[in-house]
Amino acid sequence: MKIPRRVNAALDWVADHARFVLIVVPLVVAAVAVLWMPAVAALVVGVGVGSVTVHVRMSRRVTRLRGEVDDLLRENGALRHRRNVIASANVTSESVLTQKLPAIPEEDGE
């Protein structure tokens, strides 16, 4: 399924401004709900505080893990390149080796 560009742009903006969204949206919902249902407003504020706390704690871990993944991918690419270079060098040396083998004359059966 293809995501429309506007939706993708909105999701990217939300991802870039996650702290803002996690703080402002629950406060707005709580401000609206406090008039009719104060318990729901308190729940929304609690969920907002909890989500901000989880986001802050997880963002450090996610940043560290993304750095490790980038390092591993870089290392993997370097190893693949090295393997390809060695493989191409082996093919070349084998072909050169077969060309250098001396021709052994066959003995006559006499």
Side-chain angles (χ1 to χ4, degrees):
M1 184 171 149
K2 195 172 183 181
I3 299 174
R5 288 186 184 184
R6 291 180 184 172
V7 173
N8 193 29
L11 291 174
D12 287 342
W13 183 88
V14 169
D16 291 340
H17 300 89
R19 284 187 185 168
F20 173 76
V21 172
L22 289 174
I23 292 170
V24 171
V25 171
L27 289 178
V28 170
V29 171
V32 171
V34 77
L35 299 174
W36 295 289
M37 296 175 274
V40 173
L43 175 70
V44 169
V45 169
V47 168
V49 169
S51 63
V52 168
T53 304
V54 168
H55 174 72
V56 168
R57 290 188 68 200
M58 292 303 292
S59 66
R60 290 183 208 141
R61 291 180 185 165
V62 167
T63 303
R64 180 179 49 86
L65 289 174
R66 282 185 181 157
E68 288 179 12
V69 166
D70 287 344
D71 292 342
L72 288 173
L73 287 173
R74 214 172 284 116
E75 210 173 294
N76 188 21
L79 289 173
R80 280 189 181 188
H81 175 71
R82 194 164 159 203
R83 186 187 67 199
N84 289 340
V85 168
I86 290 172
S88 66
N90 283 344
V91 169
T92 305
S93 65
E94 287 172 1
S95 62
V96 170
L97 179 64
T98 54
Q99 291 173 1
K100 289 183 181 178
L101 287 176
I104 302 173
E106 293 183 19
E107 293 183 20
D108 291 332
E110 294 177 31

